[in-house]
Structure formats: C-alpha cells, structure tokens
Amino acid sequence: MCGVKCITFALWINILSVITDKNDFKVELTPRMPVNHVGADLELTCRVNACPVNVTFQWRVLLDNFHGGISKNEQTVSRLLIRNITVKHNIALVCKATCEGNSRENTSYIKVFSFPQDPVLGKIKSLIANQTQTLNCTVHNVYPVERIKIEWLRGDETLHVDDTGFPSDSVQSYSSVFNYTPSVWDLGKNISCKATLNITEIGLEKTRNSNAEYGPGTITLSNNNHSVKLGEHLEITCHADGNPKPTILWWKEETEPAQNKSQNEKLIINNASWSQAGWYRCDARNAVGSQQMRVKVIVLGPPNIPKIQLSHTGDPKEGENITILCSSDDGSAGLTLYRQSQSAVSRALNESAVLLNIPSVQITDGGIYICEAKNGVGTERSTINITVEAQVKLVKKPDLPVAILPVAILPAVGSVSLLTIAGLLIRYCRNKARTNSGDITLS
Ligand SMILES: *[C@@H]1O[C@H](CO)[C@@H](O)[C@H](O)[C@H]1NC(C)=O
Ligand SMILES: *[C@@H]1O[C@H](CO)[C@@H](O)[C@H](O)[C@H]1NC(C)=O
Ligand SMILES: *[C@@H]1O[C@H](CO)[C@@H](O)[C@H](O)[C@H]1NC(C)=O
Ligand SMILES: *[C@@H]1O[C@H](CO)[C@@H](O)[C@H](O)[C@H]1NC(C)=O
Ligand SMILES: *[C@@H]1O[C@H](CO)[C@@H](O)[C@H](O)[C@H]1NC(C)=O
Ligand SMILES: *[C@@H]1O[C@H](CO)[C@@H](O)[C@H](O)[C@H]1NC(C)=O
Ligand SMILES: *[C@@H]1O[C@H](CO)[C@@H](O)[C@H](O)[C@H]1NC(C)=O
C-alpha cells in the first residue's frame, strides 16, 4: 500500500535521525514567561535533555552577551540568577546551548512590574455633606505607570475613575485628584481609593485598596424633639461619620467645666427634672478632627404662676385710664388675660406679657380679672379683684373761697370773736352742702 515512494521517505527519515542522533537535543528554558516585581530575584534554568558531553551555555539579549546575572553551569544545566530586578530587565533573554558543535536556543520573556504599596490617601479634616472636598490618592513606585487605574469609591459605589497615566520607562508615582461632594446618604460609608495595575497580555492584575481617614463632619441626631415632661424619659442619639469611627460623647454645658453626660453616642435622661434642662453638646472626635453640635433640652412642667398687676395703686376711679398687666417669667407658657366669665380683649406685649387697657374705666368694669399661663403640661392662674370707685362730681365752689375767708376777714373784724366766725363758717358750709344734694368727698 505504501509503495516505493513511501519506503524511500521512511528510509530518508531514518537516515536523517541517525545523522542527527547525537545532535538532536532540546533546550528547555524555565520559566518561559516570568513576571517579576522590581527588586525581586529571578533564577532561570536552561537545561539540555541529551548531550553526551558538557554543554557550552551562552546567555544573551538580542546579539549581546547578558552580564546582569550570575550563571552556574553543570554538565547539561545552566542556572542564571538575576538579583534585584529592575525595569531594565523587561527583556527577551536567550539561552544558547552548544553540544558537540551543534547549537540550540530558547527564549525567556521576562516581564517586570512595580506596585509595592497601597495607595496613599490624604487625610480629610472634615467631610461635610454638600461641601466639596479635594481628595488626593497617590500610588508610589509604579511600573508601567500607564497601566494603573485609580477608582474612587464610597462604600461599593464608584464615584470616579482615573486612568490617564502617560507611558514611562521608569518607576513612577501617580496621583489622582478628585473633587468630591458628599451627600447625606453617603455618611457612614468608607471612602476608598482602589488602584489596579492591569497588564492583560501577561495576565497580571493587581489591586490595592486604601480607605481615607477623615474627621467627623455632619452630625445628625436621632430625633428633633428635645423636650421632655417632668419625670419622663428622653433619649437622643448623636451620629457622626468619620474614619476611624469617631468617639461620641455628650456634655452638659452651662456648668464650669462642662459635665460629661454619656459613655457613648446616646444621651439618656430618665425622670427629667428641672435641673436637667439646658444646653447639651454632642462632641464627635477621632484622630483626624472633631465636630460639635449643641442641643437645647427643654423640660416641660406646669407653667410658673403668672403675675397680675394693675397700673394703679389702690382702687381706680370711674373714668380713669387703667391698664392690667399679666406677665410670666416662664417663656414657654402662653398667656391670656380675661375678665371672669367673659372674654376680654388683651394685647400681647411680648412672649412674657399681655396687657388690657381700659381708657375710661366704668363701675361696671369692676370684678375679677384672671391672668392665665398655659403650656402643654398644665395651667396656672392669678386673679385680681378690681373695684372701681364712683367718681365724685366736685362740689361747686363757694362764692367766697372758704380757705381765704379767715385770712381776708380776720384783720377787718378784729373785735369779732373767733367763735362767731367759726359759727358763721359752719352754717355757711351746711347751707352750701344742702344746695348740692349728693355725696361729699373730701379729697
Ligand atoms: C564537565 O564539567 C564538570 C564540571 O561541571 C567537570 O568536572 C568535568 O570534568 C567536565 N567534563 C568534561 C568531559 O569536560
Ligand atoms: C536594587 O536596585 C536599585 C536600583 O537599581 C537600588 O536602588 C537598590 O539599592 C538595589 N537593592 C538592593 C537590595 O541591592
Ligand atoms: C472603614 O475603614 C476602616 C479602616 O480604614 C475599617 O476598619 C472599617 O471597618 C471600614 N468600615 C467599613 C464600613 O467598611
Ligand atoms: C424622679 O425624681 C423625683 C425628684 O428628684 C423623685 O422624687 C422621684 O422619686 C423620682 N422617680 C423615680 C421613678 O426615680
Ligand atoms: C415684656 O414686657 C414687659 C412689660 O413691658 C417687660 O417688663 C418685660 O421685660 C418684657 N419681656 C421681654 C422678654 O421683652
Ligand atoms: C392710657 O395709658 C396708657 C399708658 O399707661 C397710654 O398708652 C394710653 O394712650 C392711655 N390712653 C388714653 C386714652 O389716654
Ligand atoms: C371684690 O372686692 C369687692 C369690694 O372689695 C367685694 O365686694 C367682692 O366680694 C370681691 N369679690 C371677690 C370675688 O372677692
């Protein structure tokens, strides 16, 4: 089936194999495609599978001998040790083996990269919602720098990607600058800079990650109601974002020095008392910065007893202009001023006083007036009993002024006894009084 041609071919193959037998050797070079970090050591092994005599080895790059390493040869093996790899070692290194005058060679493609450290992030003093911050992330000693990609993340979300490194034949640093405006939704999530060196053609992908350190910025509180009824319970939790996690404590202000009121972020007031009212401060701090927020805790109880006053001392008289003032030293209470079983129109002066003005008071205006202070917890009242005095129509003056009479008459009627004058005066007055029927008020 094979035929003459076929036999000839087989024979030829056989002859060839006999001729090349002692020279038909292979050169194995390992590793074939080493990927090495700058600074590392690399050992290449060049091995000849079959040679009856010692093999002569030559290591070279392109056409030149390679001098960057130390080689050790045995009969059929040569080992080349390259110490402290640099970017200059990004080469195709050839091992040439000569056995009995015949040479074979093999090549190792060395790839070098450098990515020794995690990215370095600038510290951020304080990260405040809606305020733009310039963030900086640097990767040092990178090679090849054009293969580096920097990603900015908040939690798992990518905020920004930077991969515009220019090619360079040396180890370089690369920085990414990013203007970041945090939103309140992002609070509590780490900001990280993720650097990736990706050399796909040799299957190299290395990632290094760093979290930004930042001081507390925006402080938020668990609830916005900071008032508590006397004897009841109030709890306010203070939240602040930061890395490292800030230490959060509550302090009571208005005491010298301020008093610590919590072991953590919770301010707890049990059985509220008056003395617990006032300004508190939530203080959040970490190694990078600190932030404070002030909160006024209001303790609600029945209002203080209000004060009611009349503009006059003593009872007012009919026709007089009177003012009733209702006031309180308790700013949280609402004040009203009214006449008992009536509603009176009072005018608010300010948050702690109302007044009622009666420009011409009448007897019928007399009675009980009530000043009432009311808040969410209770009501307190003060009253005043106003009696309006009837105003006397002044007696019509006599023709002869009484007071002047003795002075005018005395010298003229020296002989007339004082008794007679007195008697005359009394009679005169009585007559005068009778003519004006009505009250006599000496005022
Ligand atoms: C081969 O090399 C070894 C040393 O590696 C040496 O001891 C030996 O004598 C050599 N053999 C010949 C035939 O040159
Ligand atoms: C490695 O090489 C670099 C640059 O050539 C040099 O700065 C460094 O000192 C060397 N390191 C060692 C351990 O020899
Ligand atoms: C944020 O980063 C710090 C280290 O910088 C780490 O200890 C912490 O667990 C991280 N927090 C989250 C929520 O990943
Ligand atoms: C609450 O405080 C008041 C006044 O200090 C005290 O008399 C009362 O016993 C306290 N109540 C409780 C439940 O602790
Ligand atoms: C409110 O008005 C009263 C009366 O004029 C005055 O005594 C008081 O100081 C005022 N209070 C405030 C808070 O202005
Ligand atoms: C009554 O007195 C008040 C001040 O006490 C004054 O403001 C007001 O104008 C007076 N009214 C009249 C009618 O005189
Ligand atoms: C208010 O005073 C008048 C006169 O002093 C008195 O007659 C009246 O009983 C008093 N009213 C009240 C409720 O005390």
Side-chain angles (χ1 to χ4, degrees):
M1 221 165 79
C2 195
V4 178
K5 265 187 184 166
C6 186
I7 291 163
T8 315
F9 180 71
L11 201 67
W12 187 79
I13 291 287
N14 202 28
I15 292 163
L16 198 73
S17 70
V18 168
I19 293 168
T20 56
D21 195 20
K22 60 174 182 276
N23 296 319
D24 186 25
F25 61 95
K26 282 191 189 121
V27 178
E28 187 193 35
L29 180 55
T30 53
R32 287 293 312 278
M33 296 181 86
V35 177
N36 282 79
H37 197 278
V38 163
D41 295 344
L42 170 64
E43 190 179 75
L44 294 172
T45 306
C46 187
R47 191 185 300 273
V48 168
N49 64 338
C51 182
V53 293
N54 283 356
V55 179
T56 312
F57 289 99
Q58 186 200 9
W59 294 92
R60 59 179 176 78
V61 178
L62 297 174
L63 297 171
D64 300 326
N65 281 335
F66 179 73
H67 299 293
I70 308 148
S71 61
K72 277 198 179 137
N73 299 340
E74 287 162 28
Q75 286 95 325
T76 56
V77 180
S78 177
R79 289 190 174 82
L80 176 71
L81 177 66
I82 307 170
R83 288 196 176 278
N84 194 10
I85 291 266
T86 71
V87 297
K88 302 260 184 305
H89 292 115
N90 234 341
I91 48 174
L93 191 62
V94 177
C95 171
K96 183 179 173 189
T98 307
C99 174
E100 296 185 315
N102 290 299
S103 296
R104 297 276 188 283
E105 50 184 53
N106 213 331
T107 309
S108 178
Y109 301 91
I110 304 174
K111 289 289 170 200
V112 179
F113 74 99
S114 178
F115 191 20
Q117 295 147 24
D118 288 339
V120 177
L121 274 129
K123 286 186 181 171
I124 308 162
K125 191 133 191 43
S126 170
L127 205 61
I128 298 170
N130 306 322
Q131 271 185 26
T132 303
Q133 285 274 349
T134 301
L135 311 185
N136 194 314
C137 175
T138 304
V139 273
H140 291 291
N141 304 318
V142 175
Y143 180 85
V145 72
E146 70 273 20
R147 295 303 183 91
I148 202 94
K149 179 174 84 173
I150 289 185
E151 257 176 293
W152 288 95
L153 296 118
R154 185 97 210 224
D156 298 328
E157 187 201 352
T158 301
L159 302 170
H160 180 73
V161 180
D162 225 344
D163 54 1
T164 54
F166 291 107
S168 166
D169 57 4
S170 63
V171 167
Q172 295 267 308
S173 290
Y174 179 62
S175 289
S176 167
V177 176
F178 168 47
N179 286 328
Y180 175 49
T181 310
S183 83
V184 281
W185 315 113
D186 293 334
L187 299 181
K189 295 175 193 160
N190 272 341
I191 297 171
S192 54
C193 170
K194 183 171 146 190
T196 306
L197 183 71
N198 192 349
I199 313 173
T200 31
E201 53 278 32
I202 57 165
L204 178 92
E205 181 168 341
K206 288 221 177 298
T207 297
R208 287 177 172 275
N209 211 65
S210 289
N211 289 322
E213 284 189 13
Y214 58 97
T218 308
I219 288 186
T220 53
L221 301 174
S222 58
N223 49 320
N224 289 321
N225 181 16
H226 307 143
S227 51
V228 56
K229 286 183 186 172
L230 213 54
E232 292 190 356
H233 173 93
L234 175 70
E235 190 173 309
I236 307 172
T237 308
C238 178
H239 301 279
D241 185 21
N243 185 27
K245 195 173 165 12
T247 303
I248 300 177
L249 292 175
W250 284 92
W251 298 82
K252 178 124 167 52
E253 296 187 338
E254 297 158 337
T255 56
E256 202 52 60
Q259 281 173 1
N260 174 235
K261 290 289 175 188
S262 75
Q263 262 68 61
N264 53 31
E265 68 276 10
K266 278 188 202 312
L267 173 69
I268 299 170
I269 293 176
N270 278 316
N271 191 14
S273 66
W274 290 119
S275 64
Q276 283 170 307
W279 284 99
Y280 287 76
R281 182 177 74 217
C282 163
D283 182 288
R285 58 184 63 232
N286 65 11
V288 189
S290 68
Q291 201 67 239
Q292 274 108 41
M293 184 181 237
R294 297 177 77 229
V295 170
K296 189 178 188 179
V297 170
I298 295 167
V299 174
L300 296 173
N304 294 345
I305 295 170
K307 207 160 89 178
I308 188 161
Q309 284 170 287
L310 184 63
S311 53
H312 279 63
T313 44
D315 291 339
K317 291 176 189 68
E318 205 179 351
E320 278 185 330
N321 173 7
I322 66 159
T323 300
I324 307 164
L325 182 72
C326 165
S327 64
S328 167
D329 54 9
D330 179 353
S332 68
L335 290 176
T336 47
L337 174 58
Y338 57 93
R339 190 171 171 191
Q340 192 171 44
S341 64
Q342 282 181 30
S343 64
V345 188
S346 56
R347 182 164 62 84
L349 261 188
N350 56 39
E351 63 176 14
S352 57
V354 291
L355 60 75
L356 176 66
N357 178 242
I358 307 171
S360 176
V361 73
Q362 300 305 307
I363 291 175
T364 51
D365 289 325
I368 306 288
Y369 286 79
I370 299 165
C371 169
E372 188 178 280
K374 190 173 185 174
N375 67 14
V377 182
T379 306
E380 290 291 347
R381 294 182 186 88
S382 289
T383 59
I384 190 170
N385 185 359
I386 295 176
T387 310
V388 181
E389 271 186 18
Q391 178 66 287
V392 173
K393 312 275 180 303
L394 259 180
V395 175
K396 204 179 166 233
K397 281 184 179 156
D399 301 337
L400 209 55
V402 178
I404 292 169
L405 212 59
V407 187
I409 294 167
L410 271 175
V413 283
S415 56
V416 185
S417 75
L418 278 170
L419 212 69
T420 320
I421 293 165
L424 277 167
L425 256 171
I426 291 164
R427 191 172 300 168
Y428 170 84
C429 286
R430 279 192 184 148
N431 288 341
K432 206 71 195 166
R434 244 175 251 126
T435 59
N436 294 310
S437 55
D439 296 326
I440 291 179
T441 311
L442 292 172
S443 65

